[in-house]
Amino acid sequence: MSANSSRAGQLLSQASACISWKQDVEGAVYHLANCLLLLGFMGGSGVYGCFYFFGFLSAGYLCCVLWGWFSACGLDIVLWSFLLAVVCLLQLAHLVYRLREDTLAEEFDLLYKTLCLPLQVPLQTYKEIVHCCEKQVLTLATEQTYAVEGETPINRLSLLLSGRVRVSQDGQFLHYIFPYQFMDSPEWESLQPSEEGVFQVTLTAETSCSYISWPRKSLHLLLTKERYISCLFSALLGYDISEKLYTLNDKLFAKFGLRFDIRLPSLYHVLGPTAADAGPESEKGDEEACEPAASPPQATPTSLQQTPPCSPPPAATNFPAPPSRARLSRPDSGILEIDDFPSYFPQFGFSGKVAAGRIP
């Protein structure tokens, strides 16, 4: 350690010292260059911080080039300052290229701000989702069909960006699909990844529409690979299907004045024919309840005793018998058919033409 310090001292002592100092200060270009370098080294981090940092350094080194060429007249000063200025400018060009490459299209940027930003989805995760749909925005002309009932295979998942889509079945209107709603979420949830199926409804564009579409296999691979994206799509699809259910329930209420419980086991009892089958048994139970239970059987089996008609108990003689409550009738099977509620959602166990049946 002492040998190194002694050698450094010898080098400093042998170096030629300044014989005389310049009386005149350097020009304004030299001081401007140092001020720009000072401001540049005060830059922060991040993309915009890098822009600030390399921008001021480039300007400072260019001023050094001018100072070395016109004032200092030193070739080494000019060459080093020019080299450093070129490196900073190349770094700025690289930052601009990266920023332009990562910039989303207007439709995808608006989709992120509307659908994913409120859920605090990271931008990098959103870019993976967008990359899965190949960053393509598809269009539908007015009255152009997206899917035809019984013909179009379920091989993709689409999200409407603009316009309005009409959903119908057998020519009967079901509901509308508005921007930032999935166009085929029930069909997507109705099938397993290895299953195949076709649409049970027809989707027609009422206006000029734009949408994005994920291929079924590519999206399943992404959901299998990324658990966070899988949970995100489960939440979005579940909310979308519930909105469609509430829309159809509101349609039934506006049409018949009936608001059904959308928890589908209860809805099945409303729409199914089980109550009609249980009607004769319940009437039979009422008749059996009307028979007397206090009279014992006769000892002689050959003689038959006529059963007196049932009468109200003595305690109830002072009060009039309550009138029998009329049974509320349900809508006919022709009213609650497939076009009204359930068959649009085959994943919930409704298939074919589901009718409510007549209830006496």
Side-chain angles (χ1 to χ4, degrees), residues 117-168:
L117 189 59
L119 299 177
Q120 299 180 357
V121 178
L123 185 59
Q124 189 62 34
T125 302
Y126 176 73
K127 290 179 180 178
E128 294 183 17
I129 298 173
V130 171
H131 181 72
C132 184
C133 69
E134 300 178 354
K135 299 182 180 180
Q136 292 183 356
V137 179
L138 308 175
T139 58
L140 287 174
T142 305
E143 296 302 324
Q144 183 180 355
T145 56
Y146 169 81
V148 180
E149 175 186 353
E151 298 181 7
T152 305
I154 305 173
N155 55 9
R156 54 182 173 172
L157 177 66
S158 300
L159 180 71
L160 187 64
L161 297 178
S162 63
R164 186 174 65 181
V165 175
R166 180 178 66 252
V167 182
S168 60

Side-chain angles (χ1 to χ4, degrees), residues 48-113:
Y48 296 102
C50 290
F51 269 107
Y52 177 90
F53 176 75
F54 289 108
F56 275 100
L57 287 187
S58 300
Y61 287 127
L62 287 176
C63 290
C64 288
V65 171
L66 296 177
W67 169 74
W69 184 268
F70 293 104
S71 297
C73 299
L75 183 61
D76 53 349
I77 298 176
V78 172
L79 291 178
W80 276 108
S81 299
F82 179 77
L83 178 62
L84 293 174
V86 170
V87 170
C88 292
L89 290 174
L90 290 176
Q91 187 65 33
L92 278 176
H94 177 69
L95 287 174
V96 171
Y97 172 76
R98 289 290 303 272
L99 189 62
R100 183 178 179 85
E101 186 182 19
D102 294 340
T103 302
L104 297 172
E106 182 181 358
E107 295 85 355
F108 292 103
D109 185 62
L110 186 59
L111 175 63
Y112 176 74
K113 293 178 181 178

Side-chain angles (χ1 to χ4, degrees), residues 305-337:
Q305 184 177 1
Q306 187 177 0
T307 303
C310 62
S311 60
T317 54
N318 297 331
F319 302 96
S324 60
R325 182 174 299 177
R327 186 174 300 175
L328 297 177
S329 62
R330 294 176 181 171
D332 295 337
S333 60
I335 298 177
L336 293 178
E337 280 192 357

